[in-house]
Amino acid sequence: MTISIDRRKLMALLLTCSGAAMAQTAPWPTKPVKIVVPYAAGGPADVTAREIAQKLSKITGQSFVVENQGGAMGIPSLMAVTRAEADGHTLWMPALGNAVLQPLLSTQGGAEHLAKLRPVGMVTTSPHVLVASAKLSVKTVQELVAYARANPGQVTFASAGVGGTAHLAAELFKSLTKTDVVHVPYKGSSAATNDLASGRVSAMFSSLPSLQGIVDKGYVRVLASTAPSKSPATRALPLMSAAIPGFEYSSWYAMYAPRQTPTAVITRINGLLQQALKDPELVGKIEPHGMELVPTGPEEVEAWVRRDEDKWRAVIQKAGITLD
């Protein structure tokens, strides 16, 4: 039996296959890669970015450099990436606050610049914990809620500033429990933590590693984790949602590139990023900081952003919070 094949169709098929193969092996990186972090050196974002940069450099044989551009709500760092050449050699690693909260809270939050970027993949996710002053006679979330209801206006929640995750979490607690609790904003996490340790404020939402010192000294009690499910960072803790249905959130970091970066390059970066994030050595270095490495595709980043926009927009609007 003879099989007849149309030559033009065969050529088209070969070209398609060739294009797909080229897309899978996009030449990246071809020069040093810059990862721009919208935070000062030394913090969890910086530590995470540098560990990932070292791992990617080892995998690819190319140099990866972390550039810290803190301040001004991260807008300068965001603009630096939007102005960069769209070839995948300049990346942005924002947190939930930069990519979701700031555009919801302020007209200066960078929404128009964010529209000039596209996601590459998730990097980490990290639950927060609810802690209460040891001077407060509560040991569980349920007891804190009961105390707040019995003492309107007496339970205070500290935060590092208006509009941050700790503030919004306190407003979510207030809304879901229908309690009269008071938000006390500080200029930075250090002052908030000091007053929490001394008992001047009642409670706070934050990452566990940042509070571990005062937890170990017995100044505060850890009541629960905000994670939607048990996570490596807080697996021994009860979940907030078990006491307050619907109360769950996690902070996160993700990787972005200029929007005009070719899809083939995004696919290549994502593949290498996922390879790095699955490395047991990297996992061992990052998880002690209270973060879980999350290798995903760009679509998952978009889904997380939409979900968190819906969640926090409702909280912000109900509480009337603005940074303008």
Side-chain angles (χ1 to χ4, degrees), residues 1-7 9-10:
M1 182 176 66
T2 302
I3 300 175
S4 176
I5 300 177
D6 186 292
R7 181 174 294 181
K9 290 182 179 180
L10 178 60

Side-chain angles (χ1 to χ4, degrees), residues 215-226:
V215 170
D216 292 342
K217 292 177 180 178
Y219 296 144
V220 298
R221 297 188 184 96
V222 183
L223 304 186
S225 165
T226 68

Side-chain angles (χ1 to χ4, degrees), residues 11-324:
M11 289 299 296
L13 178 61
L14 290 174
L15 287 171
T16 299
C17 293
S18 175
M22 290 178 63
Q24 292 173 0
T25 58
W28 182 94
T30 58
K31 60 183 180 181
V33 179
K34 182 190 298 183
I35 301 176
V36 182
V37 176
Y39 295 96
D46 177 61
V47 170
T48 303
R50 291 182 188 279
E51 292 290 353
I52 291 172
Q54 289 181 19
K55 187 60 63 177
L56 287 171
S57 179
K58 185 177 180 180
I59 292 172
T60 64
Q62 186 58 265
S63 175
F64 284 73
V65 179
V66 175
E67 182 176 294
N68 301 95
Q69 291 194 27
M73 298 194 297
I75 303 302
S77 70
L78 170 56
M79 294 180 67
V81 178
T82 62
R83 290 194 295 260
E85 187 176 354
D87 59 2
H89 290 89
T90 302
L91 305 172
W92 192 50
M93 200 184 92
L96 161 70
N98 309 109
V100 175
L101 301 185
Q102 288 169 188
L104 294 175
L105 288 161
S106 172
T107 56
Q108 306 301 313
E112 72 279 13
H113 301 301
L114 277 166
K116 299 176 184 178
L117 300 182
R118 63 186 300 185
V120 174
M122 294 297 294
V123 177
T124 68
T125 180
S126 56
H128 282 180
V129 293
L130 170 61
V131 300
S133 168
K135 295 185 177 181
L136 209 61
S137 58
V138 301
K139 295 182 180 179
T140 66
V141 176
Q142 293 90 333
E143 289 180 1
L144 179 61
V145 173
Y147 183 88
R149 287 173 176 163
N151 300 273
Q154 297 304 304
V155 173
T156 51
F157 278 82
S159 82
V162 174
T165 312
H167 175 199
L168 299 184
E171 295 293 346
L172 181 60
F173 179 95
K174 179 178 182 179
S175 174
L176 292 178
T177 61
K178 296 179 170 51
T179 52
D180 179 15
V181 298
V182 180
H183 170 234
V184 182
Y186 289 81
K187 293 182 178 179
S189 58
S190 178
T193 303
N194 288 339
D195 275 7
L196 178 66
S198 69
R200 291 191 180 93
V201 286
S202 310
M204 185 176 180
F205 288 96
S206 186
S207 65
L208 182 56
S210 66
L211 299 174
Q212 195 67 59
I214 60 175
V215 170
D216 292 342
K217 292 177 180 178
Y219 296 144
V220 298
R221 297 188 184 96
V222 183
L223 304 186
S225 165
T226 68
S229 59
K230 295 291 184 178
S231 72
T234 56
R235 61 169 59 91
L237 295 174
L239 299 178
M240 285 290 298
S241 57
I244 307 173
F247 195 111
E248 59 182 53
Y249 75 89
S250 293
S251 186
W252 48 261
Y253 294 113
M255 201 77 78
Y256 283 77
R259 177 158 291 280
Q260 299 306 316
T261 303
T263 297
V265 175
I266 295 293
T267 301
R268 167 73 172 164
I269 300 172
N270 178 263
L272 291 172
L273 179 62
Q274 290 203 40
Q275 182 181 342
L277 296 179
K278 292 175 183 177
D279 187 282
E281 181 183 13
L282 185 61
V283 172
K285 290 181 177 180
I286 298 301
E287 283 194 354
H289 293 279
M291 294 179 283
E292 181 181 358
L293 295 171
V294 188
T296 74
E299 299 80 10
E300 284 83 358
V301 180
E302 293 175 343
W304 279 57
V305 167
R306 288 194 299 270
R307 179 202 64 191
D308 283 348
E309 283 177 341
D310 291 342
K311 174 187 285 291
W312 296 119
R313 181 184 292 109
V315 173
I316 289 167
Q317 290 178 347
K318 184 170 184 178
I321 306 167
T322 180
L323 296 180
D324 292 333

